[in-house]
Amino acid sequence: MISIDATGLVCPAPMVKTRQAIDALPPHGGQIQILVDNQMAAENLERMSRAAGYGYLCTDRGGGRYGIAITVGTHTPETTDQPGIPLPHGEGGLTVAIGRASMGQGSEALGEILIKGFLYTLSQLDMPPRSLLFFNGGVKLVLSDSNALVDLQALADKGTQILICGTCVDYYDIRDRLGVGEIANMLEIVQEMARAQRLIQL
Amino acid sequence: MPEEILLVFPSTRDAIAGERALLAANLPVKVMPIPESLSDQCGICLRLPPELLEAGQTVLSAAGIAIAGVYKLPTA
């Protein structure tokens, strides 16, 4: 069993630490106990656990603190009613890094509509991506007026972690216009890339 | 998942123009690839809430953008 004290940490740090601990578990799984002091962190961990099929138990420790136990390896992932698109390897661990609000080179107008079709299709995968990383021009897609927002929210609801480059958000001065996801620093983005079983760079 | 209306266009260029016209009219249009159940051709189609279909058709018609088909999004 691994214990994590994530009190005093704000999102996405509790999630990042938990994922690191899950990655460090032996192949047969195990249990991770996390202490957090905000409800948002507890809810994020519950959503992630449900999507991945992990056991989740939350105990109110009082004073705004929650003790969370996540059990990996003794549960099978929940199935959904909607038929999805099977992945070739039948496993998650996919991270998609999105640095532009367009897909491919050539026509910008074509690329801008293609990437929205891409994000919708990602949301239909049986096993949604582990994480989406948005930086530079890609952050345009996560703004509250983006018409890809509903599909990104659907991914977040399925447990996909959406990390947004904080430097980029400040550079474009759009911190108050974000519609989905969590601000992340470069270290968190690089750690997520390094941890990915498969990384797609758009 | 709430039902959605799919608008299919004669070409991807029309779909791009259609998305721009609908966004300019402040309609909550979304994008997805044309489902395999509707066509074996590649392409992009647009999604609208059912109650905004008529408003969408009016906007597209005023912009001179043709629609090739209107479908309900097949749900499970």
Side-chain angles (χ1 to χ4, degrees):
Chain A
M1 192 189 71
I2 302 173
S3 291
I4 300 168
D5 183 357
T7 53
L9 301 179
V10 293
C11 287
M15 181 73 90
V16 169
K17 283 183 175 291
T18 303
R19 285 178 184 270
Q20 284 172 343
I22 290 172
D23 289 343
L25 286 173
H28 61 269
Q31 195 181 64
I32 294 161
Q33 297 209 335
I34 311 114
L35 187 65
V36 299
D37 58 4
N38 67 86
Q39 198 176 352
M40 180 72 78
E43 287 170 3
N44 285 343
L45 289 168
E46 181 177 12
R47 198 161 52 228
M48 183 273 290
S49 301
R50 253 207 324 265
Y54 303 148
Y56 175 91
L57 189 69
C58 180
T59 311
D60 191 341
R61 298 276 177 84
R65 298 189 314 160
Y66 301 89
I68 292 160
I70 293 176
T71 310
V72 178
T74 54
H75 290 68
T76 49
E78 284 177 24
T79 53
T80 58
D81 294 330
Q82 292 215 354
I85 302 165
L87 276 180
H89 304 295
E91 57 182 19
L94 173 65
T95 290
V96 185
I98 300 174
R100 313 169 55 220
S102 180
M103 188 175 186
Q105 307 287 334
S107 161
E108 203 60 18
L110 176 60
E112 284 172 10
I113 206 164
L114 285 181
I115 197 156
K116 295 171 197 169
F118 172 83
L119 292 173
Y120 168 81
T121 309
L122 271 187
S123 75
Q124 300 300 299
L125 288 173
D126 270 346
M127 183 74 81
R130 168 196 169 92
S131 54
L132 300 181
L133 313 175
F134 290 92
F135 44 88
N136 209 333
V139 298
K140 192 177 164 189
L141 293 161
V142 303
L143 298 184
S144 53
D145 61 354
S146 156
N147 67 335
L149 199 65
V150 173
D151 297 326
L152 288 172
Q153 188 60 55
L155 279 163
D157 292 344
K158 289 181 178 181
T160 296
Q161 190 177 23
I162 295 177
L163 296 183
I164 305 160
C165 161
T167 304
C168 312
V169 166
D170 290 338
Y171 179 86
Y172 290 118
D173 195 16
I174 50 173
R175 196 171 274 263
D176 55 354
R177 291 174 56 203
L178 298 179
V180 69
E182 305 153 34
I183 301 276
N185 62 27
M186 190 59 88
L187 176 62
E188 289 159 337
I189 289 173
V190 169
Q191 282 177 333
E192 195 58 27
M193 287 176 165
R195 204 177 297 123
Q197 288 172 24
R198 287 165 293 150
L199 176 67
I200 295 174
Q201 163 83 57
L202 285 192
Chain B
M1 179 177 177
E3 192 175 78
E4 288 185 308
I5 296 293
L6 293 193
L7 299 174
V8 177
F9 295 85
S11 73
T12 298
R13 287 178 192 277
D14 294 310
I16 292 170
E19 188 205 13
R20 286 185 173 170
L22 294 167
L23 284 176
N26 284 320
L27 291 179
V29 60
K30 291 176 285 167
V31 175
M32 68 180 276
I34 297 176
E36 288 181 350
S37 56
L38 292 183
S39 168
D40 55 2
Q41 306 274 307
C42 289
I44 291 285
C45 61
L46 303 181
R47 294 180 278 159
L48 275 179
E51 66 274 16
L52 292 177
L53 171 61
E54 205 170 314
Q57 285 173 316
T58 305
V59 167
L60 293 170
S61 171
I65 299 163
I67 301 172
V70 176
Y71 303 91
K72 282 182 185 170
L73 177 59
T75 52

